[in-house]
Amino acid sequence: MRTQVAIIGAGPAGLLLGQLLQRAGIETVILERRSADYVLGRIRAGVLEQGTVELIARAGCDARLRVEGLPHAGVNLCFGGRRHRIDLAALTAGKEVVVYGQTEVTRDLMEARAAAGARTVYEAAGVHLEGFDRARPVVHFLKGGIAQTLECDFIAGCDGFYGVSRQSVPEGALETFERVYPFGWLGLLADVPPANEELIYVNHEDGFALCSMRSPTRSRYYLQCAADEKVENWSDQRFWDELRRRLDPEAAAALVTGPALEKSIAPLRSFVAEPLRFGRLFLAGDVAHIVPPTGAKGLNLAASDVHYLSEALIEYYGEGSSAGIDAYSTRALARVWKAERFSWWMTSLLHHFPENGRFGHRIQLAELEYLVSSRAAAASLAENYVGLPF
Ligand code: RFL
Ligand code: PHB
């Protein structure tokens, strides 16, 4: 098999890159380790920045997003038992975010790819990258137990944090930066109307909580939990009781409970690998950087990498210029680090850190008070939350 760009991973990064390149007349093949149903079954992100929405539109995949996506012009911070609204639109000259599940983004991209007749190999096992330091890279893999090779001009590693692409880079060529937080998020998805029409981020002395949603009839809630917590220890009833306890009285009274459709624990981590290019291999999305979900930036960062990388490859094939691919790593990383900073800051502000003691909690409360009483402080949060420009 031969193609122009081999893409490893059919998550949002790989699918979006595939669609943008396809529309520019550049041929791609995607190799995905899992089945399409498995990929669609992973419940993850929910908040899209305007830049991400525009990129999905450029990929021609925004028809359902325009109808079903929920624009949010504000976000709420709850602390000391009281809720305060940050008016995102007023603080950013009219910018908003859109609540639309990652599973839906993925489904729309998969359908567009199938309709365009572009090739995706699901359940591709043993993916192995070779020769990306030379002119003709090759990807080896097994499909149905049969060994296959994919020759290409470039490889885009979009295979997530545990993917093979980053691990294929020779030791010493990569510098990594990491912080692992001493807690996780226990998430619950249920077909109940959201407790509030906008998101609520909660600082409670017993731990962070978040009220989010997927639609007017489907809610997504999170609770800070111990890093080694077991999901089996959390009955639906225990989850709802603990969530209600952490909310302000109005949200607690509005909370509608129901059976969980999904319940899972995610660890929290900050991670960056540099650079994002090794000869003819590029890294994009979670394979190269992880943020704790507090700032809702993971999927949006995958999209911004894809923005820079797709422009670079389109310039290369269209104009024969390598300027974009040479600049890719530096351009993408500049934005990555700003989102790393914001996600780390939101996490530090809202979670319970036992090691920081009562002093640490009071400092958090003072900063939250400052945020909701100073237009300058609120504007900084808002500008980052809606997404910095590409
Ligand atoms: P993905 O989505 O992990 O996709 C990578 C794909 O590569 C495949 N793969 C391989 N394929 C072939 N060969 C191999 N050796 C392979 N190894 C792996 C995998 O099967 C997979 O299909 O990475 P991508 O595309 O970079 O996308 C990143 C986003 O998924 C991620 O950043 C977000 O989900 C993070 N995130 C959030 N981001 C936001 O922007 N807003 C949010 O509100 C938000 N909430 C969240 C989140 C992540 C969460 N968890 C579970 C970590 C909430 C949570 C709880
Ligand atoms: C979600 O809806 O899953 C979600 C929303 C906001 C976040 C993280 C996750 O910051």
Side-chain angles (χ1 to χ4, degrees):
M1 226 191 304
R2 165 150 187 93
T3 193
Q4 290 178 299
V5 181
I7 299 175
I8 317 301
L15 287 165
L16 188 56
L17 178 66
Q19 210 48 32
L20 289 164
L21 295 182
Q22 212 67 36
R23 279 172 76 93
I26 299 167
E27 200 199 328
T28 63
V29 171
I30 298 185
L31 303 180
E32 164 60 50
R33 179 168 59 175
R34 305 286 189 174
S35 69
D37 283 344
Y38 183 97
V39 171
L40 287 171
R42 292 190 296 229
I43 312 293
R44 288 184 170 180
V47 177
L48 307 183
E49 296 171 357
Q50 239 164 50
T52 304
V53 171
E54 281 158 23
L55 206 57
I56 294 171
R58 248 197 281 152
C61 297
D62 63 330
R64 201 157 62 91
L65 165 57
R66 296 279 170 208
V67 178
E68 295 177 18
L70 305 172
H72 281 207
V75 68
N76 299 273
L77 298 175
C78 173
F79 55 94
R82 290 184 53 205
R83 196 197 306 169
H84 306 260
R85 181 168 190 268
I86 304 285
D87 190 334
L88 298 173
L91 292 161
T92 60
K95 290 193 184 147
E96 299 179 336
V97 293
V98 175
V99 171
Y100 189 68
Q102 178 168 332
T103 43
E104 308 311 312
V105 173
T106 306
R107 186 184 302 281
D108 296 344
L109 289 166
M110 278 181 178
E111 283 175 5
R113 185 167 179 86
R119 178 121 196 242
T120 310
V121 181
Y122 288 101
E123 296 175 310
V127 167
H128 175 74
L129 317 185
E130 222 180 67
F132 50 81
D133 54 342
R134 299 187 293 274
R136 287 268 168 263
V138 182
V139 185
H140 301 273
F141 63 100
L142 294 166
K143 173 65 187 175
I146 298 166
Q148 309 218 21
T149 56
L150 174 60
E151 293 171 19
C152 55
D153 302 331
F154 296 103
I155 303 172
C158 303
D159 44 348
F161 185 64
Y162 297 103
V164 67
S165 304
R166 190 180 71 246
Q167 291 162 22
S168 308
V169 174
E171 217 172 304
L174 203 73
E175 196 176 358
T176 61
F177 305 83
E178 183 168 41
R179 167 158 303 181
V180 177
Y181 300 87
F183 42 72
W185 278 20
L186 170 64
L188 180 147
L189 185 74
D191 272 334
V192 291
N196 186 51
E197 57 191 24
E198 289 176 347
L199 272 64
I200 309 176
Y201 289 84
V202 185
N203 173 305
H204 186 280
E205 55 192 4
D206 294 333
F208 170 80
L210 170 61
C211 303
S212 183
M213 68 199 69
R214 290 293 175 271
S215 75
T217 58
R218 182 168 284 190
S219 301
R220 180 72 166 158
Y221 295 107
Y222 296 97
L223 290 175
Q224 178 183 349
C225 64
D228 58 356
E229 185 62 78
K230 296 275 169 284
V231 77
E232 304 78 65
N233 293 338
W234 287 82
S235 65
D236 292 359
Q237 189 63 46
R238 181 177 174 205
F239 184 98
W240 292 119
D241 289 345
E242 184 57 26
L243 176 64
R244 194 182 292 107
R245 224 170 54 74
R246 294 187 193 181
L247 301 181
D248 60 277
E250 197 190 327
L255 185 68
V256 181
T257 64
L261 298 172
E262 192 258 9
K263 223 176 345 185
S264 56
I265 293 177
L268 263 66
R269 179 195 304 273
S270 297
F271 172 86
V272 181
E274 293 182 352
L276 304 181
R277 180 194 177 188
F278 307 88
R280 291 179 166 259
L281 167 67
F282 302 98
L283 304 180
D286 274 18
V287 67
H289 42 74
I290 296 288
V291 287
T294 328
K297 289 286 167 252
L299 172 58
N300 292 299
L301 269 191
S304 73
D305 286 356
V306 163
H307 162 76
Y308 296 120
L309 183 54
S310 62
E311 279 201 332
L313 289 168
I314 290 167
E315 186 182 307
Y316 175 86
Y317 283 107
E319 301 162 26
S321 160
S322 299
I325 58 178
D326 291 342
Y328 166 66
S329 181
T330 306
R331 288 171 78 193
L333 280 169
R335 196 169 185 283
V336 164
W337 273 110
K338 290 184 187 126
E340 288 285 344
R341 201 269 325 158
F342 178 67
S343 305
W344 159 83
W345 172 75
M346 284 280 279
T347 303
S348 310
L349 180 69
L350 292 166
H351 289 74
H352 175 55
F353 289 80
E355 67 275 25
N356 292 351
R358 293 169 65 229
F359 178 81
H361 189 230
R362 283 300 180 90
I363 291 290
Q364 286 180 331
L365 294 181
E367 181 156 16
L368 285 160
E369 280 294 350
Y370 173 55
L371 269 173
V372 300
S373 58
S374 154
R375 190 183 163 89
S380 166
L381 186 158
E383 175 177 52
N384 281 278
Y385 194 83
V386 300
L388 296 173
F390 284 166

